[in-house]
Amino acid sequence: MSAPAQDPGRTGGLAPAYAAVRARLGLVVVLFVLAALAWWWTAGRMQGMDEGPWTGLGELGWFLGIWVVMMAAMMFPAVSPTVALYARLTRERSPVSPLLFTAGYVLTWTGAGLTAFAIATTARYVPGDVTAWDGAGRWVAGGTLLVAAGYELTPLKDVCLAKCTSPLGFLLTSWREGRWGAVRMGAKNGAWCVGCCWALMASLFALGVMSITWMAAVAGLITLEKTLPWRRFTTYATAVLLLALGVLLLVAPDAVPALTVPGTAPMDDMS
């Protein structure tokens, strides 16, 4: 059975997803509860770990565990309207399909985490360690925020965000049947999400990936961009904020709110 036929003129925007949220409120509540539990677990694990920009990521297994739970905490609220709409479209099929869709979404973000870990590990082997704060780290961090600000205004960002803010259009054009199809659709949705949010996630690394404060701030920006209908307004506002933070990080890092300047606070041993 293929996806339900829909009027192409009604496939855009967030209105169908909002209606699905009301219809599948129980599923959305489950996702928000999982996100809350992930925030609680992450806060406990990351306590005392924040060394500011380019905080060490530890061993791969440790980082990957933190990353997956972090993604659940940050992304589940933003993706819940899409999952709810998918659940509504598959209401006569397998009840586990929405969970498999979500698993595919997380799988894509796990791949993004592995990529980030590889880049961070490679950077530490570059002569002079470009992420060292007393070397080039401050300038790389500030430059990362400026690049992220610029990316918010690019056509690629707009295309990716359009996919995230038009869940019905995405689902109808990417439909796959069966449980494996649910995983593939979730993974594809996650890929659009990575395209939309990679610069914001890079900004989190530049501000302190182990900072709960900045993690919450970036998660808030991602959720606002994906759930508010004013796409241009949110991206321009985000760009201005990232630009201001980038300039501050370059000229007066002590003025950046909640920023741990490397070398000013001890970090607990990783367990």
Side-chain angles (χ1 to χ4, degrees):
M1 184 182 296
S2 60
Q6 298 286 339
D7 178 0
R10 299 178 61 189
T11 60
L14 287 161
Y18 291 153
V21 166
R22 293 190 293 270
R24 292 291 181 269
L25 188 58
L27 175 62
V28 174
V29 169
V30 168
L31 290 173
F32 271 76
V33 168
L34 289 174
L37 291 173
W39 277 106
W40 170 78
W41 187 89
T42 303
R45 295 288 289 176
M46 289 168 52
Q47 187 173 7
M49 302 297 296
D50 179 25
E51 280 193 321
W54 315 126
T55 297
L57 303 183
E59 298 296 327
L60 176 59
W62 185 90
F63 168 75
L64 202 57
I66 286 285
W67 178 264
V68 171
V69 179
M70 184 191 299
M71 289 305 99
M74 297 178 69
M75 301 298 180
F76 277 8
V79 78
S80 59
T82 301
V83 177
L85 183 57
Y86 177 73
R88 193 175 188 187
L89 293 175
T90 58
R91 60 186 178 274
E92 296 177 355
R93 303 173 188 129
S94 173
V96 303
S97 291
L99 301 179
L100 294 174
F101 182 96
T102 306
Y105 180 88
V106 173
L107 185 63
T108 297
W109 271 107
T110 301
L114 288 171
T115 302
F117 185 88
I119 293 173
T121 302
T122 302
R124 291 187 178 277
Y125 286 99
V126 174
D129 187 0
V130 296
T131 59
W133 185 255
D134 55 357
R138 172 178 169 183
W139 307 102
V140 174
T144 298
L145 290 168
L146 297 180
V147 169
Y151 181 72
E152 289 291 310
L153 307 179
T154 63
L156 180 57
K157 166 73 178 193
D158 191 56
V159 169
C160 293
L161 185 57
K163 293 289 184 178
C164 294
T165 54
S166 300
L168 183 57
F170 163 77
L171 292 173
L172 295 180
T173 56
S174 305
W175 194 265
R176 297 290 184 275
E177 287 293 339
R179 295 184 177 184
W180 176 238
V183 175
R184 290 175 62 190
M185 289 176 67
K188 187 173 182 179
N189 186 250
W192 284 114
C193 184
V194 170
C196 176
C197 303
W198 71 265
L200 283 168
M201 294 305 298
S203 298
L204 178 58
F205 281 85
L207 292 164
V209 71
M210 299 297 174
S211 168
I212 289 294
T213 301
W214 281 112
M215 177 182 159
V218 170
L221 289 174
I222 290 171
T223 301
L224 289 175
E225 284 193 347
K226 289 189 172 188
T227 57
L228 292 181
W230 316 295
R231 202 161 71 231
R232 284 293 183 186
F233 172 79
T234 54
T235 52
Y236 273 82
T238 301
V240 170
L241 177 60
L242 292 173
L243 176 64
L245 288 172
V247 172
L248 274 179
L249 195 57
L250 290 173
V251 302
D254 290 334
V256 177
L259 179 71
T260 299
V261 177
T264 61
M267 182 178 71
D268 296 341
D269 292 336
M270 291 185 181
S271 58

